Amino acid sequence: MAKTEITEWLVNNSKQVKEIALFIFVVTMGTITKMIEAVRKGTKFTIAWLISELIMSFFVALTVYAVFDQFLQVNKLFSFMMCAWSGTFSSTFQEKGKDLVVSVFEYIKIWIKVKLT
């Protein structure tokens, strides 16, 4: 793409570009808040931890965005704030998801034992 094509595309899609930038900013601020709290509680800061927290927070925030903005059709700013808030709780979602998967596999394991005996 030529420079003029990129500029033209940015001008034509400025609203979407602004929304994406605001979404990234808000979720990043929520993630930073979460990481500051974790470091205060004694978590060791590493680059791997930083990257994993960012990825998980953005995944949770995208899910929340889909629900609040696309399904419930609430105000964009409210949707973004809910995304940031939920991104700060991504570890909680991850732990609950892990517990759910473990319990499902435990149930399947017990079910197989019962069927085989």
Side-chain angles (χ1 to χ4, degrees):
M1 289 180 116
K3 204 178 218 183
T4 56
E5 290 175 346
I6 294 172
T7 305
E8 186 178 314
W9 184 86
L10 286 173
V11 169
N12 291 337
N13 297 303
S14 63
K15 183 179 178 186
Q16 290 85 1
V17 171
K18 287 177 189 175
E19 286 179 8
I20 291 169
L22 182 60
F23 175 81
I24 291 170
F25 175 75
V26 168
V27 174
T28 302
M29 290 299 108
T31 305
I32 289 171
T33 302
K34 173 184 164 183
M35 291 190 296
I36 289 171
E37 287 299 316
V39 169
R40 283 185 186 163
K41 291 179 182 178
T43 303
K44 184 179 175 190
F45 182 82
T46 62
I47 296 299
W49 177 66
L50 169 71
I51 292 170
S52 68
E53 287 297 330
L54 283 172
I55 290 171
M56 191 62 194
S57 294
F58 275 97
F59 176 73
V60 170
L62 281 173
T63 305
V64 170
Y65 178 78
V67 171
F68 275 89
D69 187 61
Q70 303 300 315
F71 181 67
L72 299 176
Q73 298 178 350
V74 297
N75 184 300
K76 287 267 189 226
L77 185 58
F78 180 75
S79 295
F80 291 156
M81 289 303 123
M82 290 305 295
C83 290
W85 183 72
S86 66
T88 61
F89 293 109
S90 64
S91 296
T92 304
F93 290 120
Q94 185 178 9
E95 290 170 9
K96 296 300 179 188
K98 179 182 171 188
D99 292 343
L100 176 65
V101 170
V102 167
S103 65
V104 167
F105 281 111
E106 286 296 320
Y107 176 79
I108 292 171
K109 183 176 153 183
I110 293 169
W111 183 76
I112 290 172
K113 281 184 179 180
V114 168
K115 291 294 180 179
L116 293 176
T117 58

